[in-house]
Every structure is written in C-alpha cells, then in structure tokens.
Amino acid sequence: MAEVDVNADLGEDFGHYRLAHDDAILAYVTSANLACGLHAGDPVVMARSVGLAKARGVAVGAHPGYPDLQGFGRRDMALREDEIYAFVLYQMGALAAFCRAHGVRLHHVKPHGALYNRAAVDRAAARGICRAIADFDPSLKVYAPYRSELARQAEALGLCACSEVFADRRYEADGQLTPRQHPDAVIRDPDEACEQVLLMVQEGRVRARTGEWLEVAADTICLHGDGPQAVQLAKTLHERLTQAGVRLRPA
C-alpha cells in the first residue's frame, strides 16, 4: 500500500486578521507547517495553532520564513548564510517553546515562500537553513523539493530529507514551481489538483506547465491554507487518496 503525508501551511493569521480556516483543514491533513512569527503569525496564533494541531493528532512542523510581514515572506531578501541560519534558528526556538508547553514534539521544518524557493537552488541559503536545523535538533525532518539543493544539504549534514510535492501549484520545465506572479501559477480546481497529486504519488511524475513530463518523488504533499478553496481541496484530496488505497500518515 502506498503511503504519503499531506501537509498544510497554517498558523498564518496575525492579530485580528484571519487568512485560513485552520481547524477545518486540520481535519484532513497529517502534518502542519506553522508560521513562526516573522512572515506571518504571532505568539497568540502560534499557541493556538499548536493546540489545534495537537487536538487533531497532526504532526507539528516549523515554517520559518524571511522577516517580511509586509510581503508575507514571498519576496526574496539578500541575506547571508549566517543571517539565514540565525533567523531560522530563532523561529524554530519560538515554535518549540509552544510545542513544549503543549507537550508536543516538533516533527519537521519546512522553509516558507521565497526562502524555500531560494534554498531549492542556492547552496548557501540551503546550508544556512540545514545548519540551523542540525544544531537545534538533528532528528527533525526537512521538507524539501525533490533533488533540490535544500535536500542535498540536508543529507550532507545527516538530516532526513522528505521529498515534497505541491497539490495546488504548477511546475516549470526545470522542476521549479511556477512563480506566483504568473497568472497560471496556482491550480484553483480541486479536482485538477487531485489528479496532479495522484499522478505524482502513483506514477512519480508531473506534467510541467509547458507540457514536459518531470520525475518527482512524493513523501509529502503540500496544500496552502490561505487559498479560497483550501478547505474543499483538503477534503477532496483526503477522499481521493483514501479511495485510491493510499495510506495517509506523517512523513
């Protein structure tokens, strides 16, 4: 029986601002990547998010991003490796405090947004992230794109890299995600997203936006919690994978 993790980027509310229906989405995923206060989230949101994940039995992961609330962490920043190391370590420590208070073990780390995209191809950025993880807790898993620089640096430091694919994003011919500024970057139809996921899980391939077939490995599937169809996508994906005989479990 095939097995796969379904993760969601959550905990991205801030103060009175609400971006997602986290509790509803948590009913359909097996791990959650929680914002750590620099690109989104705040201490109150972090405490609530860890509690919600614990109540649902969902594995908790840190989702560190650039220090960029204004741009939601989706703009690149010219940070050095040592700066990336420090920002990632800082954010893991913050979330781990709430995990400790709730009696929850931190399970994984997945960089957010522009930091994730940079670490996929930039050795120094990837090394900064992975050094922070290794120094903090080398048992933490690293969610990373298949055969990316982030995955390579994780493995070089003895960390466990879990290959991540995306349900609701399109791919370019070089294997990178289609940039968000492109009008066709996001898959908005839950059924189309599920078809893409089933191909990746069952056949290890995905069709690029421009038509090429790409090889992938799917240890964990990401869906974004801030989209208008997020809850419906999570529900539909859970149903379609279960119907296909795929076991859902944390990576």
Side-chain angles (χ1 to χ4, degrees):
M1 175 185 290
E3 296 183 345
V4 74
D5 173 48
V6 178
N7 75 72
D9 298 344
L10 300 173
E12 294 178 325
D13 296 341
F14 183 81
H16 293 294
Y17 298 96
R18 295 290 179 264
L19 291 183
H21 301 283
D22 286 12
D23 196 29
I25 293 171
L26 284 165
Y28 303 110
V29 301
T30 48
S31 67
N33 320 307
L34 301 184
C36 302
L38 292 191
H39 81 272
D42 61 37
V44 174
V45 171
M46 291 164 71
R48 183 183 72 222
S49 300
V50 172
L52 288 173
K54 178 182 179 181
R56 290 286 191 179
V58 172
V60 174
H63 198 35
Y66 283 133
D68 182 25
L69 280 174
Q70 184 78 11
F72 195 64
R74 288 178 174 165
R75 303 180 297 189
D76 198 21
M77 299 181 71
L79 299 183
R80 301 185 309 269
E81 179 181 333
D82 64 314
E83 293 174 315
I84 290 172
Y85 170 93
F87 279 121
V88 170
L89 185 61
Y90 174 88
Q91 291 175 82
M92 287 189 297
L95 186 65
F98 292 105
C99 289
R100 181 173 179 178
H102 280 277
V104 172
R105 180 186 173 277
L106 195 61
H107 172 264
H108 67 275
V109 178
K110 175 193 168 178
H112 166 79
L115 179 59
Y116 180 94
N117 292 336
R118 178 176 168 191
V121 297
D122 185 307
R123 180 174 299 177
R127 188 169 53 229
I129 292 167
C130 293
R131 283 178 46 228
I133 296 169
D135 286 352
F136 184 75
D137 182 353
S139 73
L140 292 174
K141 297 183 178 181
V142 183
Y143 287 11
Y146 179 58
R147 291 182 175 172
S148 64
E149 195 60 53
L150 180 59
R152 284 190 285 271
Q153 292 303 312
E155 291 165 354
L157 289 172
L159 302 171
C160 177
C162 300
S163 293
E164 182 178 45
V165 295
F166 287 77
D168 53 1
R169 293 292 303 278
R170 299 198 191 280
Y171 286 81
E172 294 297 288
D174 62 359
Q176 300 300 307
L177 295 176
T178 299
R180 279 189 173 271
Q181 57 267 34
H182 192 284
D184 199 27
V186 178
I187 300 174
R188 306 188 186 280
D189 178 9
D191 289 324
E192 183 182 358
C194 288
E195 289 300 323
Q196 173 166 289
V197 167
L198 286 170
L199 268 175
M200 292 189 286
V201 171
Q202 296 176 326
E203 300 184 21
R205 61 180 184 145
V206 65
R207 188 183 289 277
R209 179 181 59 83
T210 47
E212 299 87 352
W213 284 104
L214 309 173
E215 179 185 353
V216 295
D219 296 323
T220 184
I221 303 159
C222 176
L223 57 90
H224 291 91
D226 60 330
Q229 301 293 324
V231 176
Q232 184 58 49
L233 174 56
K235 181 176 185 293
T236 304
L237 184 58
H238 186 279
E239 292 172 350
R240 292 286 298 277
L241 286 168
T242 302
Q243 290 167 3
V246 179
R247 181 187 174 201
L248 305 184
R249 52 91 184 112

